[in-house]
């Protein structure tokens, strides 16, 4: 005897319930989006391009801010170098003035044997030590004043004779 499967009322009801659930599921899908797949891809591409453009703009802004920071640092460094160069040049010039004033004092027979301390700062010469008489003291001022680059002379030589 051949056995055939006979559909029972329970299995028929189960199949009907599954079919109804599938129909409900399909009806729940969004049917309002009528765009084609190509249109959806075009929209996604345009959205990605907009996000890329926005990211590129943010990157340009950050680069410009970084560049401004680097330029400000370079300006500060340049100013510091200029200041250091000016100070070094001033010290070299002051040392040169001091050496020239000492040379002028050494040429004078009355002042050459004396110990006169010469200090120079920004072209201003300070003389300290002793002079044998007021005339020698005045001559020291004149000799120091005649050196190129001297802006003033503060003669603090004491007359001891």
């Amino acid at each position: 005897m051949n056995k055939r499967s006979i559909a029972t009322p329970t299995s028929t009801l189960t199949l009907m319930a599954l079919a109804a659930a599938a129909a409900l599921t399909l009806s729940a899908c969004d049917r309002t989006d009528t765009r084609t797949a190509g249109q959806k891809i075009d929209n996604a591409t345009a959205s990605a391009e907009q996000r890329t453009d926005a990211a590129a703009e943010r990157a340009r802004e950050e680069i410009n801010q970084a560049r401004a920071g680097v330029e400000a640092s370079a300006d500060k460094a340049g100013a510091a170098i200029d200041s250091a160069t000016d100070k070094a040049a001033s010290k070299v010039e002051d040392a040169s003035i001091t050496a020239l004033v000492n040379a002028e004092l050494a040429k004078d027979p009355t002042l050459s044997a004396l110990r006169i301390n010469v200090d120079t700062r920004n072209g201003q010469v300070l003389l300290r030590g002793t002079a044998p008489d007021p005339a020698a003291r005045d001559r020291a001022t004149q000799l120091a004043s005649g050196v190129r680059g001297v802006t003033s002379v503060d003669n603090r030589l004491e007359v001891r004779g």
Side-chain angles (χ1 to χ4, degrees), residues 16-91:
M16 288 175 69
L18 286 172
L24 282 173
T25 302
L26 287 175
S27 69
C29 289
D30 184 14
R31 302 263 183 209
T32 59
D33 191 359
T34 59
R35 296 178 298 167
T36 65
Q39 289 171 329
K40 290 178 183 179
I41 291 172
D42 289 344
N43 286 345
T45 302
S47 176
E49 287 175 353
Q50 288 173 347
R51 288 192 304 271
T52 301
D53 290 345
E57 182 59 30
R58 283 192 304 273
R60 278 191 290 276
E61 289 173 6
E62 289 176 7
I63 288 169
N64 288 337
Q65 289 174 353
R67 184 175 290 138
V70 167
E71 288 172 358
S73 294
D75 289 345
K76 287 180 185 177
I81 289 169
D82 289 346
S83 176
T85 302
D86 290 346
K87 286 178 184 176
S90 178
K91 289 184 187 262

Side-chain angles (χ1 to χ4, degrees), residues 2 21 44 78 105 139 157:
N2 222 354
L105 295 174
R139 198 167 38 263
L157 294 177

